[in-house]
Amino acid sequence: MHPLEQLALDVAEGRTGPADGERAAAALTASGALGAAELVNWFRTAQWLARQEDLWERALLLGRLLAAATEALPDTAAPGEVARCRSAWTELVHLCVIHRPDGELFASGVRAGRAALDAARALGDDELAGQVLYRLGTLHLDPFSRAGELWAEEHRLWLSLGPRTALAGLPAPRDALRTAERYLREAAELRAGPGLGYTCKALAQALQQQRFLTGADADADADAGQDSEAAGSEAAGSEAADSVAALCDRALALIPVEDVEARAGVEALRTGSGQGPAAARP
């Protein structure tokens, strides 16, 4: 058994505490026993686990060890590989925080993504930069995506899945969705092929979710007896709908036909039924 696999098992079964496990994982890379390229492959395993509904907590446990190992990589490690490890941690955080809100974990994913983005730009690696921008976008998007007519109720349910102390550090939904849109628009400038297709899908979702949230706010105002700018809201909603439809068309032209799940998600966006939290594609 690989030392990292044994370490993850020891932490999962309580023989080693989480903090001690992270220190041991860091020692593996600091000593040269575990390299950045190998860590990238381990992150892929953790991401696969996170996409399994009942294994995401085990994936997060492994991911925390990998993140600690990444930050202990020696200065001789290739900057591009280190950036890929950090990008992978951002994606793993995205996949896990959907299940349970955690402001500290969310912030960790953002920090890693920004560091990876800085490195990718310094290296002139547009492909990596586009991937990181996409992952930062979906990190700010999927945890704050809900069905249109049930937006407020579903968001409150998600927040209730974690202790109140864990909510500190989470962005306000509107800020998160605007940030998602910004990252995704930047990603679209750098990506091509299927990657661009998934980015267009996510961008359409970001626009639609902002419209849903505006509707939820308007409903709350109406319940409170406050006036809303109905005409302006309708105009903005119509413009957003046009943008969503165009992005959906572009996404369907680029997303592989065999990815039935993603294409079905695009069709749901096009019809306005919404796209809730889902495991994003690379």
Side-chain angles (χ1 to χ4, degrees), residues 59-142:
L60 180 56
L61 183 156
L62 175 58
R64 291 187 186 278
L65 298 179
L66 297 173
T70 296
E71 298 311 313
L73 284 166
D75 294 339
T76 54
E81 295 296 339
V82 176
R84 284 179 172 80
C85 289
R86 288 174 173 153
S87 172
W89 173 239
T90 298
E91 173 64 0
L92 187 58
V93 169
H94 157 244
L95 294 172
C96 292
V97 80
I98 289 170
H99 294 280
R100 186 171 63 214
D102 188 322
E104 184 178 348
L105 180 62
F106 184 92
S108 172
V110 172
R111 286 194 303 271
R114 288 176 176 169
L117 181 59
D118 288 344
R121 286 171 167 165
L123 292 168
D125 190 335
D126 286 348
E127 182 178 357
L128 178 57
Q131 180 200 63
V132 177
L133 285 163
Y134 172 75
R135 288 176 168 177
L136 281 166
T138 55
L139 174 58
H140 287 82
L141 173 63
D142 281 337

Side-chain angles (χ1 to χ4, degrees), residues 139-161:
L139 174 58
H140 287 82
L141 173 63
D142 281 337
F144 304 93
S145 292
R146 312 283 176 243
E149 67 281 4
L150 298 172
W151 204 100
E153 290 82 355
E154 290 188 358
H155 187 66
R156 281 195 294 269
L157 176 60
W158 177 68
L159 292 176
S160 74
L161 297 177

